[in-house]
Amino acid sequence: MTRPSDKFPWRPYYGHFAFFEQRMNAHSNVASLKANGDGVYELTTKFGRTLKIFICECYSFGAAEYIETIEALGKLDAIVINSIWCGYTMDAKRFTRNDKVGLFQIGNFMSALNKVDVWDHLTKVELETFKKNGWS
C-alpha cells in the first residue's frame, strides 16, 4: 500500500531525500550520485557500474507497485525503501530479483553496494525464505 497521493511517484513524507543522499555520499563504494528528480538517482559505484535507482517511501511495496513503478520510470537497477517504518513484500523481492532489480531497505542497500551485482544481495531472512520456497 502506497502513501496517499494523486501523483506518481510517491513523494517522501518530508519532501526530500537528504537521508539517502547523506548515506550514499558517505559510502566507500559510491563514486558519484546524481539526482534526476522525483526520487530517481544515477549512482556510479567504484566498480564502475552506473545504477538507476528509485527512492520510494510507501507503507508496503508489493508486486503491483513494482509494475506501476517500471511503467512510469522504465528499467531500474534498484528500488530503495527510504523509511524505517515502511517495507516490501517477499513476492515483490522475488519479482524484482527475477528482473535483476534490487529491492531494499536503505541499510540493506548499503550492504548490497559492496557487491558487483547489487540486485543479487539477500538478507539472511530473505535467503532462508527463498530456499524454503524453492525460489532462485
Side-chain angles (χ1 to χ4, degrees):
M1 172 160 73
T2 58
R3 284 190 69 234
S5 174
D6 58 356
K7 181 183 172 208
F8 179 88
W10 310 290
R11 306 300 302 165
Y13 185 77
Y14 295 107
H16 57 77
F17 302 97
F19 181 74
F20 172 77
E21 292 172 358
Q22 290 167 354
R23 299 285 73 77
M24 294 306 103
N25 287 325
H27 197 288
S28 62
N29 283 335
V30 173
S32 66
L33 182 68
K34 177 184 171 197
N36 291 336
D38 289 329
V40 177
Y41 284 82
E42 285 181 35
L43 182 149
T44 303
T45 68
K46 291 196 175 169
F47 300 117
R49 184 154 183 230
T50 298
L51 307 171
K52 182 179 177 185
I53 302 165
F54 174 57
I55 310 306
C56 181
E57 187 176 288
C58 59
Y59 182 69
S60 181
F61 190 90
E65 286 77 19
Y66 173 63
I67 292 167
E68 185 177 358
T69 300
I70 60 173
E71 284 177 354
L73 301 176
K75 172 77 171 113
L76 297 168
D77 296 297
I79 298 164
V80 177
I81 308 300
N82 194 40
S83 170
I84 196 167
W85 57 86
C86 298
Y88 52 85
T89 66
M90 275 298 165
D91 283 337
K93 181 71 174 189
R94 180 181 180 199
F95 200 77
T96 59
R97 196 164 193 261
N98 285 341
D99 286 348
K100 295 187 178 185
V101 175
L103 176 59
F104 308 101
Q105 292 286 97
I106 189 156
N108 294 329
F109 180 63
M110 291 183 70
S111 295
L113 286 172
N114 294 311
K115 297 178 98 172
V116 174
D117 292 327
V118 172
W119 63 270
D120 195 33
H121 180 75
L122 294 171
T123 66
K124 183 178 178 180
V125 170
E126 290 168 346
L127 185 57
E128 290 171 1
T129 301
F130 272 60
K131 282 183 180 179
K132 176 183 166 192
N133 291 302
W135 301 342
S136 53

